[in-house]
Amino acid sequence: MIGRRLLPGLGLLLVPAIAACSIGDVRRAPPDRSSAPPRPAPTAPAPSRPVGFDEVRQVRVDVDRRYDRPFVEFADADHGYALFVAACDNPPPSGGCPGPRLFATVDGGRSWRALRHPRPVAASQQLYAVPGALVLLSEPYGWYTSTDGGATFVHSTGAEPAPLVAARGRFQVVEGRGAVAEWDGASLRPTAAQPSVPGLNTVGHSGDLVVAAGVRDGRPYAALSRDGGRHWASTPVSWRGDEVGVLRVAIAPDGGVWLVGERPDRTGFPALWRLVAGFEWALVRAVGHPAQARSVAPLGAELVAVTSPDGVGVVAGGRYYRVDWPLTGEHHLRVLGDGTIAASGPDDLVLGTGWTANRRWVRVVLDKQP
């Protein structure tokens, strides 16, 4: 059974899936369920009911009431950064607005230390936390990158700094060119051959497998390469005629490969496909799913977590199940490089550590001075 309560029967579906993931590649054919108990009938959605967190890490930092709520981003379960920007229209030095305040944590938000912001006077401030680096954008002055936890920064202008590009993965789609390129540590170089994918807009990789996908006229397309982009094979994506606006490749923490077909309005519940047997896209049903979805995150063991205006759920075994994770439909899910779920909400950030649906939930809150 998983760590938190689910709808009756969901645990029976998760146990064989989790067991299968612990011994090998889930991209093989699914286990035989002929002797398993019958699957439950679809259940009508119930109101979302957030439950208690396993831990709340609430820290007050030296920031006064003139500042907005912070933007908080984690690179993994331990390393995160927070940026406070003052809520006024007159930035320093000519105006009365104070400069931004920058903080870092190395213990998952239990404690925070103040950092010196390298360019406090700017028209716009942004923060990106990526594995091994903190990247700040201070417009119009450019980028400031730190690889030592914010102790020192390197300034650059123009193209995005290397750690930010590298964080997008070894293979990427070059904007404006519609081509797949490989990041070699210094630049993006087009692969030796290019996939024949109409409307190419996304690429991802799992081990030696590279997947490219796109959409044309509402229809999804995909191609695979097993040799770093030297050769590609088109792989049909089963399609029922329901229009797809944007297609993206999503890699689960266990290496499972998914296609997420967002609807043209970007709010409708997406189409989902999973790569099976290493070459075939299986359309994944989600009987009982809500009409809309805000975020989708593959968790491994053939499970997908979803947040929507109706709450939080998991797609498992062809059905959608409501779960009582301590999240709401306002949270946006992202899976970090170490497998941690980072759920960003309007007032907090929640970290879910563990495996598949078995998670320990920690709420991270930074309070300003009264």
Side-chain angles (χ1 to χ4, degrees):
M1 296 293 290
I2 63 175
R4 289 194 176 272
R5 299 184 304 279
L6 304 180
L7 290 181
L10 180 54
L12 297 177
L13 293 173
L14 299 187
V15 168
I18 293 173
C21 273
S22 67
I23 59 175
D25 189 345
V26 300
R27 288 172 286 172
R28 61 183 184 278
D32 180 11
R33 303 181 189 271
S34 59
S35 61
R39 292 176 178 171
T43 304
S48 179
R49 181 180 60 82
V51 297
F53 296 93
D54 294 290
E55 184 181 352
V56 176
R57 298 170 183 168
Q58 189 165 6
V59 177
R60 191 178 300 279
V61 293
D62 185 20
V63 172
D64 63 45
R65 65 183 63 186
R66 291 175 295 176
Y67 289 82
D68 281 331
R69 296 198 63 84
F71 177 78
V72 181
E73 191 163 290
F74 275 69
D76 55 41
D78 295 321
H79 297 84
Y81 299 91
L83 179 68
F84 288 85
V85 178
C88 52
D89 299 324
N90 300 310
S94 59
C97 256
R101 299 296 308 278
L102 183 63
F103 294 86
T105 180
V106 295
D107 55 12
R110 296 180 181 88
S111 64
W112 295 83
R113 73 182 190 280
L115 301 177
R116 181 189 63 84
H117 195 291
R119 174 64 70 168
V121 181
S124 175
Q125 303 280 4
Q126 297 181 43
L127 175 151
Y128 304 88
V130 298
L134 164 64
V135 179
L136 302 175
L137 175 60
S138 297
E139 296 177 320
Y141 302 104
W143 303 94
Y144 296 84
T145 303
S146 175
T147 57
D148 55 11
T152 61
F153 288 87
V154 174
H155 178 228
S156 62
T157 58
E160 295 177 341
L164 201 55
V165 179
R168 295 198 178 99
R170 176 182 165 193
F171 294 92
Q172 304 177 31
V173 174
V174 181
E175 291 187 18
R177 295 181 57 184
V180 176
E182 182 177 7
W183 175 250
D184 64 5
S187 62
L188 285 169
R189 299 180 180 276
T191 54
Q194 291 296 313
S196 179
V197 174
L200 174 69
N201 72 279
T202 181
V203 66
H205 75 98
S206 177
D208 295 329
L209 177 69
V210 187
V211 180
V215 174
R216 176 171 292 173
D217 298 327
R219 181 166 187 163
Y221 297 88
L224 307 179
S225 173
R226 300 185 182 280
D227 56 9
R230 290 186 291 275
H231 301 86
W232 295 88
S234 296
T235 51
V237 181
S238 56
W239 186 57
R240 300 176 302 187
D242 47 341
E243 191 173 4
V244 174
V246 175
L247 191 64
R248 58 186 177 89
V249 178
I251 308 298
D254 61 2
V257 183
W258 293 74
L259 295 178
V260 179
E262 298 181 4
R263 302 308 180 185
D265 63 2
R266 305 300 292 271
T267 64
F269 196 90
L272 300 170
W273 294 268
R274 184 173 58 86
L275 188 65
V276 297
F279 62 87
E280 180 181 353
W281 294 106
L283 182 64
V284 176
R285 302 178 67 208
V287 174
H289 69 73
Q292 296 182 322
R294 286 206 171 102
S295 64
V296 175
L299 302 180
E302 304 177 17
L303 307 180
V304 176
V306 180
T307 58
S308 77
D310 295 328
V312 187
V314 171
V315 177
R319 297 181 183 275
Y320 176 88
Y321 296 89
R322 298 291 293 273
V323 294
D324 65 356
W325 292 350
L327 307 175
T328 71
E330 295 294 325
H331 283 94
H332 184 277
L333 304 180
R334 188 165 65 99
V335 179
L336 306 181
D338 63 350
T340 299
I341 295 175
S344 301
D347 300 318
D348 62 5
L349 182 135
V350 180
L351 300 174
T353 56
W355 177 243
T356 60
N358 186 19
R359 298 279 168 166
R360 183 175 187 274
W361 297 101
V362 175
R363 184 172 186 245
V364 178
V365 181
L366 275 77
D367 286 333
K368 299 178 288 185
Q369 296 294 333

